[in-house]
Amino acid sequence: MLGVERVVVGQHQWVRGRKGGARTVAFEVGRQRILVDNPKTLPDTPIAMTTTAPLPPLKSLSYATTSPGPRLIVTGAVHGNEVCGTQAIRRIAEELDRGERVLQRGHLTLVPVCNPMAYALQRRHGDRNLNRALGPTDSPREYEDQLANWLCPLLASHDVLLDLHSFQGGGQAFVMVGPRNNDGPVEPFGQAEAEEALVRCLGVQRAVDGWLGTYADGVARRRQLAGESAAASLDLDPRYGVGTTEYMRSQGGWALTLECGQHQDPQAPEVAYRAIRNTLAQLGLTDEPRPPVVPAIEALSLHQVVDKHHAEDRFAREWRSFDAVRTGDLIGTRQDGEALHAEGDGWIVFPNARAQARQEWFYLARRSQRF
């Protein structure tokens, strides 16, 4: 390797250089070494850290008052390459610290970066996706397991969660809402009215539900394909779809995930900032006027998730979230030549052309009358 450059983030090292005219990167985590050609996620300038520098500490900012009120937690960078929430949270924190915004009642916790490793590496995750199979564990094996042991008790000590994200494809911001009130086995819940009220004043015009039930069905199909090895892998766990909001609901709270826009959209941090302010006002934590209700919200429900079976499965076109599909439309083609057609009218959500085998490739949604 020629022109080698070593970049260290805590205990994790990028070794960058050129070999055969192509840029090649070796990523070392402990004893693991991964070679990547032409990586798009690495910065072009070195990160100035020493070999002994630890990862940034886990950090939460707490603001309390002497007046009773809800306990709200706002989180950013659960996925390290989704930074709009981080920017908005830091902006709110600076305003609170300067006295430009005043908390009048209740308790507010801000977590600008939930996954410091992924954030430092400017990628979605460290060892694995923090927002899957989220829960504390007595035997942490991966970096995200350790994060979960810190984050889960923090979530459980609050009443309400606003989790800020962004997405890969283009399109408008939308909010992921939990299930309707139910006592079923997948996600029993009794605070749908509170979530729905906040959905109406976040400032976005599209709401999507059906996440955990759809994901559980997808894992069941994944387990059928895996056969005898089904018990050996985390992504085959029936609770693999549990992330921050699902965990929050399981602990007696309620929660929303706001997808603020495309990762690089300059308006995404503004969407996140407005949502935090609106949430503070709606819950009565500040004395700002209650935010206006969005007059018309498009409501959709996820009903199917489709995994890649092979890394060479390919889309028929470059899909974006909420592109409409009609019955019979060609969505993609499997590596073995099997064509995947839409079985009904609806929308494609979270299409991920970069997904690996046995990862979510895309979701399908249909219209709902919820809002």
Side-chain angles (χ1 to χ4, degrees):
M1 188 178 290
L2 303 178
V4 171
E5 175 183 30
R6 184 177 296 270
V7 180
V8 180
V9 183
Q11 305 303 314
H12 308 271
Q13 304 181 52
W14 292 109
V15 182
R16 178 166 49 204
R18 292 187 178 274
K19 182 177 182 181
R23 183 174 161 198
T24 301
V25 170
F27 180 49
E28 299 176 359
V29 182
R31 296 180 180 178
Q32 184 180 13
R33 195 165 192 261
I34 305 171
L35 293 178
V36 182
D37 290 328
N38 298 320
K40 296 181 179 180
T41 57
L42 283 176
D44 290 328
T45 55
I47 301 172
M49 292 187 178
T50 68
T51 55
T52 58
L55 285 167
L58 304 175
K59 179 180 180 180
S60 64
L61 306 171
S62 181
Y63 299 85
T65 72
T66 57
S67 299
R71 296 177 61 87
L72 169 67
I73 181 169
V74 183
T75 51
V78 167
H79 297 133
N81 61 337
E82 301 177 14
V83 300
C84 59
T86 302
Q87 296 174 35
I89 289 170
R90 287 173 174 165
R91 181 176 171 186
I92 290 288
E94 290 170 359
E95 293 176 351
L96 289 166
D97 292 344
R98 291 194 298 261
E100 298 171 5
R101 191 165 310 284
V102 179
L103 202 68
Q104 299 287 354
R105 57 195 64 83
H107 184 107
L108 172 65
T109 297
L110 302 174
V111 186
V113 177
C114 287
N115 193 326
M117 179 198 292
Y119 184 79
L121 296 176
Q122 303 177 31
R123 69 181 196 183
R124 184 173 174 82
H125 56 77
D127 293 332
R128 68 170 182 87
N129 190 340
L130 176 61
N131 218 27
R132 299 289 185 273
L134 182 67
T137 175
D138 292 331
S139 54
R141 296 179 301 170
E142 298 170 304
Y143 176 71
E144 277 77 7
D145 294 338
Q146 300 174 40
L147 292 182
N149 282 346
W150 170 76
L151 182 60
C152 288
L154 190 60
L155 293 174
S157 67
H158 291 77
D159 305 312
V160 186
L161 163 66
L162 178 63
D163 191 17
L164 301 169
H165 288 253
S166 58
F167 46 87
Q168 180 177 313
Q172 71 182 60
F174 63 97
V175 58
M176 298 289 294
V177 60
R180 299 173 190 263
N181 291 339
N182 73 96
D183 57 2
V186 175
E187 192 176 16
F189 191 51
Q191 301 188 72
E193 293 83 359
E195 290 191 359
E196 292 166 358
L198 185 56
V199 164
R200 291 186 173 94
C201 61
L202 283 181
V204 298
Q205 296 179 312
R206 178 179 285 145
V208 180
D209 66 9
W211 166 263
L212 195 56
T214 299
Y215 208 100
D217 291 342
V219 169
R221 288 191 295 273
R222 194 180 291 171
R223 289 172 65 87
Q224 286 181 339
L225 289 172
E228 295 180 357
S229 64
S233 178
L234 184 63
D235 66 345
L236 300 175
D237 189 311
R239 301 293 293 175
Y240 187 64
V242 173
T244 55
T245 53
E246 293 77 24
Y247 183 80
M248 188 73 178
R249 294 184 194 107
S250 76
Q251 299 302 300
W254 55 275
L256 296 176
T257 295
L258 182 62
E259 297 280 353
C260 302
Q262 199 273 340
H263 296 326
Q264 283 80 41
D265 186 344
Q267 288 302 308
E270 289 297 323
V271 172
Y273 172 74
R274 178 184 62 195
I276 299 172
R277 288 185 57 177
N278 286 0
T279 300
L280 291 171
Q282 174 69 11
L283 297 180
L285 272 69
T286 64
D287 282 340
E288 282 195 273
R290 291 291 175 96
V293 171
V294 176
I297 294 178
E298 180 183 42
L300 303 177
S301 286
L302 299 176
H303 67 92
Q304 185 178 0
V305 56
V306 177
D307 286 349
K308 271 193 176 182
H309 291 173
H310 191 282
E312 296 304 317
D313 293 350
R314 289 289 180 262
F315 282 128
R317 49 165 281 195
E318 185 176 337
W319 294 102
R320 302 194 316 170
S321 277
F322 305 106
D323 279 344
V325 295
R326 302 301 180 197
T327 303
D329 282 354
L330 178 64
I331 296 176
T333 304
R334 299 281 188 197
Q335 183 267 347
D336 63 5
E338 178 190 1
L340 299 183
H341 296 272
E343 297 178 358
D345 294 349
W347 291 263
I348 192 166
V349 185
F350 298 132
N352 184 5
R354 299 179 182 178
Q356 298 300 307
R358 219 167 72 180
Q359 291 182 351
E360 310 103 276
W361 192 14
F362 61 91
Y363 293 78
L364 293 171
R366 55 195 170 204
R367 192 174 301 280
S368 164
Q369 301 301 317
R370 185 166 181 180
F371 290 93

